[in-house]
């Protein structure tokens, strides 16, 4: 009697084992994804920290600048001519900076427009830029005049007519007809726009904001604190 060959067992996958294998692969993929995401976040943080520690670059030659171009400390003020806090800076802090640092050749001060308070913030900036282009030294007289004659920030006081009249009252050595024409035609709007576009990359969120040798000043906006930071910068 012939013996029948034993039947080969058919391979039947174990559903439980297959499920565990799928779970293991899924877990590995999730782990890889989380690891990559963590690495990406760390890289972004490192890049951000490096950018913060890296001094900002300013085109000092094109900015309205008071003081020696060779001064070891370069101050940059972001301001709005309608800003009350900027008025305080101009009237109470800047004169002391001039006496102790600017007039002595230790520091220079440059100005960048940040026109965010009202529509006439831009009009005032356009007027100031027009004065600067005609006579760089007259700019700082006009700067002082605009802040000394500043009105309530809630009203639109910086009209072309008023801005020209302020220049006349200050006896600026410029062509007043050209000033009016430059304001009306927005001749220097691109320059003002360029100033405003630099605000976000530099994390400027208000006025006045001060940079000292390219580094954003984060201390108190009082003269003693600013002076201490400048003196520290001078010592290297």
């Amino acid at each position: 009697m012939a013996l029948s060959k034993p039947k080969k067992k058919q391979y039947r996958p174990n559903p439980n084992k297959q499920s565990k294998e799928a779970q293991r692969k899924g877990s590995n993929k999730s782990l890889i994804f989380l690891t990559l995401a963590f690495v990406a976040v760390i890289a972004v943080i490192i890049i951000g920290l490096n950018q913060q520690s890296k001094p900002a670059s300013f085109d000092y030659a094109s900015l309205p600048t008071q003081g020696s171009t060779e001064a070891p400390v370069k101050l940059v003020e972001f301001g709005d001519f309608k800003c009350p806090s900027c008025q305080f800076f101009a009237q109470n802090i800047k004169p002391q900076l001039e006496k102790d640092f600017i007039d002595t050749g230790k520091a220079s001060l440059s100005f960048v427009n940040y026109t965010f308070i009202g529509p006439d913030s831009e009009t005032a900036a356009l007027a100031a830029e027009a004065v600067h282009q005609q006579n760089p030294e007259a700019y700082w007289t006009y700067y002082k005049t605009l802040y000394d004659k500043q009105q309530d920030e809630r009203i639109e006081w910086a009209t072309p007519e008023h801005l020209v009249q302020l220049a006349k009252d200050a006896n600026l050595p410029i062509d007043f007809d050209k000033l009016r024409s430059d304001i009306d035609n927005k001749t220097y709007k691109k320059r003002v726009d360029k100033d405003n576009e630099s605000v976000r990359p530099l994390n400027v969120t208000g006025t006045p904001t001060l940079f000292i040798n390219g580094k954003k000043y984060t201390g108190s906006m009082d003269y003693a604190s600013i002076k201490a930071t400048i003196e520290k910068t001078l010592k290297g």
Side-chain angles (χ1 to χ4, degrees):
M1 184 176 183
L3 296 173
S4 59
K5 293 183 179 180
K7 292 183 179 180
K8 292 183 179 180
K9 284 185 177 182
Q10 286 184 319
Y11 173 74
R12 296 181 183 279
N14 186 328
N16 293 329
K17 183 178 179 181
Q18 190 177 39
S19 177
K20 289 180 180 179
E21 183 68 19
Q23 289 177 359
R24 185 182 67 80
K25 289 181 179 180
S27 296
N28 288 341
K29 288 182 179 179
S30 297
L31 182 60
I32 292 171
F33 175 79
L34 289 173
T35 301
L36 291 174
F38 179 74
V39 170
V41 169
I42 294 298
V44 169
I45 292 173
I46 291 173
I47 291 171
L49 290 174
N50 287 337
Q51 288 178 339
Q52 288 180 3
S53 61
K54 184 180 178 181
S57 178
F58 293 99
D59 184 8
Y60 297 101
S62 69
L63 296 175
T65 299
Q66 182 179 13
S68 172
T69 56
E70 304 299 323
V73 174
K74 291 178 170 53
L75 309 174
V76 175
E77 174 199 355
F78 280 78
D80 184 322
F81 289 111
K82 291 193 66 177
C83 166
S85 296
C86 295
Q87 182 190 56
F88 179 86
F89 179 89
Q91 294 179 335
N92 297 279
I93 295 177
K94 183 175 176 289
Q96 297 183 78
L97 289 173
E98 290 175 351
K99 178 183 175 182
D100 294 338
F101 299 105
I102 297 174
D103 292 345
T104 58
K106 296 176 182 177
S108 63
L109 175 65
S110 301
F111 186 84
V112 179
N113 296 289
Y114 181 16
T115 58
F116 72 99
I117 291 179
D120 54 333
S121 293
E122 178 178 287
T123 312
L126 290 170
E129 284 295 328
V131 170
H132 177 244
Q133 293 303 313
Q134 283 199 51
N135 188 332
E137 291 187 9
Y139 174 90
W140 293 102
T141 302
Y142 197 51
Y143 167 103
K144 183 178 185 302
T145 299
L146 289 175
Y147 282 124
D148 286 346
K149 302 298 182 180
Q150 184 188 86
Q151 299 179 34
D152 193 306
E153 64 181 307
R154 293 168 294 185
I155 64 174
E156 292 188 22
W157 57 267
T159 62
E161 296 83 1
H162 186 59
L163 291 166
V164 172
Q165 187 59 51
L166 288 177
K168 290 179 178 179
D169 292 344
N171 294 316
L172 298 186
I174 62 170
D175 183 331
F176 300 116
D177 290 335
K178 187 176 189 314
L179 172 61
R180 177 59 191 262
S181 174
D182 285 338
I183 296 172
D184 289 341
N185 294 324
K186 299 186 176 183
T187 305
Y188 299 105
K189 188 177 187 307
K190 287 185 178 180
R191 296 184 67 87
V192 175
D193 288 346
K194 183 179 178 182
D195 284 356
N196 285 318
E197 287 166 4
S198 69
V199 167
R200 186 182 294 274
L202 295 176
N203 193 31
V204 174
T205 57
T207 56
T209 293
L210 199 63
F211 281 76
I212 301 176
N213 279 2
K215 293 185 178 180
K216 185 180 178 182
Y217 172 72
T218 57
S220 299
M221 195 56 73
D222 62 82
Y223 184 66
S225 300
I226 295 171
K227 180 182 179 182
T229 303
I230 294 174
E231 289 175 339
K232 183 179 179 181
T233 304
L234 284 168
K235 292 177 181 178

